[in-house]
Amino acid sequence: MFRRLFIANRGEVAVRVARTARALGIETVGGASAADLDASWTRHLDEVVCLGPAASSQSYLDLEALVQAARQTGCAAVHPGWGFLAENARFAALCEQHGLTFVGPSPSIIERMGLKWPSKAAARASGLPLIPGSEGLLQSVDEAVELAREIGWPVMVKADAGGGGRGMRRCVDEESLRTGYAQASAEAQAAFGNGALYLERCIEGGRHVEVQVLGDRWGNAVHLFERECSIQRNHQKLIEESPSPALDAETRARVGAQAAEAARALGYCGAGTVEFLLDPATGTLHFMEMNTRLQVEHPITEETTGVDVVAEQLRVAAGARLSLRQEDVAAKGHAVECRINAEDPADGFRPTPGVVTAFEFPTHVGPGRVRVDSHVAAGDRVSPHYDSLLAKVITWGATRDEALDTMAACLEGASVEGVATTIPLHLAVLASPAFRSGTYSTAEIPGWPPVTDAAS
């Protein structure tokens, strides 16, 4: 195992990785921007070095500065967390060139799966079903129009290098497709330096289901079952749960085995997530993409399976085999995660930077158990420079109702002051009949916005 690990990230993920590294006897070094040097999350690391100014482009996204910091502090490996450079093939390659182990898959796998169409081609070769659409990248808007007429409206044009909803447009007719094609391509070019697009049939009211996989360099791969991530706004996840209420036991076993086989066929090493869209009309799970990193929502998988995903990441990066076989993996109970962000959901999810004056979540409430993954303490400042995530509240119960009841009790008893948060939205969703029944989809946020009495 590595003696020292450099964590090329900040905030909650830095704290999460450091916790497991410490349990494995690994010293941790972190890089922080000038704006973060006094943040409470840095105290969870054994050593902290300043990367540069507050702007991410001059600190957390500065590849050379990160590699130099890792080498100068005697680190043997680099963990990229999620976001920032976690799926940057150039960063992974740069680490390798300087004798640092990148905790993740190879640069070639990151590059292949980072572009949507090559990843779909790899998935198809592994036997995963794809959403009907173009056979490759579109060469012109006229080609897109002709294909849309064949497969039927509505359709989605998507950026090959896209993410987070950027470079994506829903089109209902030829006029909107011609407009959307130009907008999506320009947006993708500006955001990713790549304006290439492909087209898919738009699946209305679909369910976003993802499978956690682990692989090692010895050709072994397993799945840790699935997570449901359909509660989203602008393609950003708000609430996740495991197992998915939409899958039966037979479908769960089949899609898990398919995802693990796809990882094995790719020669995948590390933690990854194979994402699917469930078509409510046919019941088919269509492959969407593969995320070649640790996911924000991995804790609900850990709570139901008992597997420390970060520990497995570190072990296989150090050259060890996976510590478990597929027959060793079993899921128990139900887990749900709410992402608590410093945003005002009543004001279009406007970010609310400022000083957190109170920050406490009760952990001994409800019939289940509570886990709070956070990097924030009272007195910390929420910076406008970075992601607005304050905490992930994870609850586990023997049943889905127990997990949801425990979550509601925890959030109702939470004390977070100084900045507006998404807690009111989470409570509204948890109380909504559609979410409670498990019949929700990506089409809307159940229970939000709240129905108000017009007479009041």
Side-chain angles (χ1 to χ4, degrees):
M1 186 53 73
F2 312 111
R3 184 180 68 85
R4 299 199 104 197
L5 174 71
F6 189 85
I7 302 175
N9 217 301
R10 66 176 298 280
E12 190 262 314
V13 66
V15 175
R16 169 67 191 92
V17 173
R19 184 169 69 244
T20 287
R22 185 175 300 108
L24 294 174
I26 303 171
E27 295 178 3
T28 57
V29 180
S33 71
D36 272 344
L37 282 177
D38 294 329
S40 59
W41 64 265
T42 62
R43 295 193 284 273
H44 293 264
L45 305 171
D46 294 305
E47 184 177 345
V48 178
V49 295
C50 185
L51 295 172
S56 297
S57 60
Q58 300 176 59
S59 52
Y60 298 108
L61 292 174
D62 188 333
L63 282 66
E64 288 76 14
L66 290 162
V67 169
Q68 182 180 9
R71 284 176 52 82
Q72 289 182 343
T73 54
C75 293
V78 174
H79 196 302
W82 52 71
F84 287 138
L85 299 171
E87 294 179 285
N88 187 300
R90 181 169 168 243
F91 181 55
L94 192 64
C95 288
E96 291 187 358
Q97 290 166 12
H98 286 83
L100 298 165
T101 298
F102 181 81
V103 181
S106 67
S108 62
I109 292 292
I110 295 173
E111 186 171 28
R112 185 179 185 186
M113 304 311 286
L115 293 173
K116 301 300 189 295
W117 182 250
S119 73
K120 287 177 180 292
R124 174 178 285 166
S126 300
L128 296 178
L130 304 184
I131 300 172
S134 57
E135 290 296 318
L137 297 178
L138 297 166
Q139 301 303 310
S140 68
V141 68
D142 290 333
E143 179 188 356
V145 170
E146 182 178 350
L147 180 59
R149 289 170 178 165
E150 291 178 10
I151 66 175
W153 307 95
V155 297
M156 297 286 290
V157 285
K158 298 182 178 181
D160 191 36
R166 289 175 294 179
M168 180 187 302
R169 292 294 186 277
R170 178 180 180 273
C171 308
V172 298
D173 54 26
E174 180 176 341
E175 182 181 357
S176 62
L177 177 52
R178 290 187 179 277
T179 301
Y181 185 99
Q183 292 174 340
S185 182
E187 186 174 76
Q189 183 65 42
F192 312 111
N194 181 349
L197 304 175
Y198 63 96
L199 183 142
E200 289 179 342
R201 189 183 73 205
C202 182
I203 296 177
E204 306 279 19
R207 306 283 291 256
H208 187 156
V209 177
E210 61 185 30
V211 178
Q212 176 72 63
V213 295
L214 297 169
D216 63 28
R217 64 186 62 183
W218 302 93
N220 302 304
V222 300
H223 72 84
L224 304 183
F225 299 100
E226 87 287 354
R227 300 183 287 256
E228 169 103 23
C229 309
S230 297
I231 305 298
Q232 306 176 6
R233 56 100 180 164
N234 297 329
H235 306 284
Q236 299 295 318
K237 299 167 186 174
L238 296 168
I239 301 177
E240 303 97 352
E241 61 177 314
S242 181
S244 166
L247 302 190
D248 57 31
E250 180 181 352
T251 304
R252 177 169 295 113
R254 183 179 71 254
V255 72
Q258 287 177 325
E261 181 54 38
R264 188 178 298 109
L266 284 168
Y268 193 87
C269 182
T273 305
V274 184
E275 305 210 5
F276 298 88
L277 187 63
L278 176 63
D279 187 340
T282 64
T284 303
L285 279 160
H286 297 282
F287 172 84
M288 290 196 298
E289 63 182 345
M290 183 174 188
N291 289 314
T292 56
R293 56 172 168 78
L294 184 68
Q295 292 277 89
V296 177
E297 60 271 21
H298 76 278
I300 55 176
T301 293
E302 295 182 327
E303 292 301 307
T304 55
T305 64
V307 176
D308 186 325
V309 176
V310 175
E312 291 299 322
Q313 273 192 303
L314 293 171
R315 290 190 186 105
V316 301
R321 296 176 185 270
L322 287 172
S323 69
L324 65 164
R325 300 166 300 175
Q326 192 62 62
E327 54 266 33
D328 300 324
V329 182
K332 179 181 179 182
H334 200 97
V336 61
E337 173 181 289
C338 288
R339 301 190 190 190
I340 310 303
N341 291 296
E343 299 173 353
D344 186 353
D347 189 17
F349 293 92
R350 175 182 56 83
T352 57
V355 176
V356 178
T357 56
F359 194 78
E360 186 175 355
F361 292 88
T363 56
H364 299 289
V365 293
R369 63 173 180 256
V370 178
R371 165 180 168 179
V372 179
D373 282 15
S374 180
H375 60 291
V376 175
D380 278 349
R381 176 175 293 278
V382 179
S383 171
H385 295 289
Y386 313 117
D387 183 85
S388 64
L389 182 69
L390 298 177
K392 299 178 321 197
V393 179
I394 305 102
T395 58
W396 179 92
T399 64
R400 183 172 186 264
D401 282 342
E402 282 192 8
L404 298 182
D405 289 345
T406 304
M407 179 65 75
C410 177
L411 297 186
E412 286 169 354
S415 175
V416 180
E417 300 175 4
V419 296
T421 75
T422 52
I423 289 176
L425 175 144
H426 291 300
L427 287 171
V429 174
L430 290 167
S432 70
F435 185 74
R436 279 285 177 164
S437 67
T439 57
Y440 58 90
S441 74
T442 57
E444 61 182 359
I445 303 174
W448 192 266
V451 177
T452 58
D453 186 351
S456 61

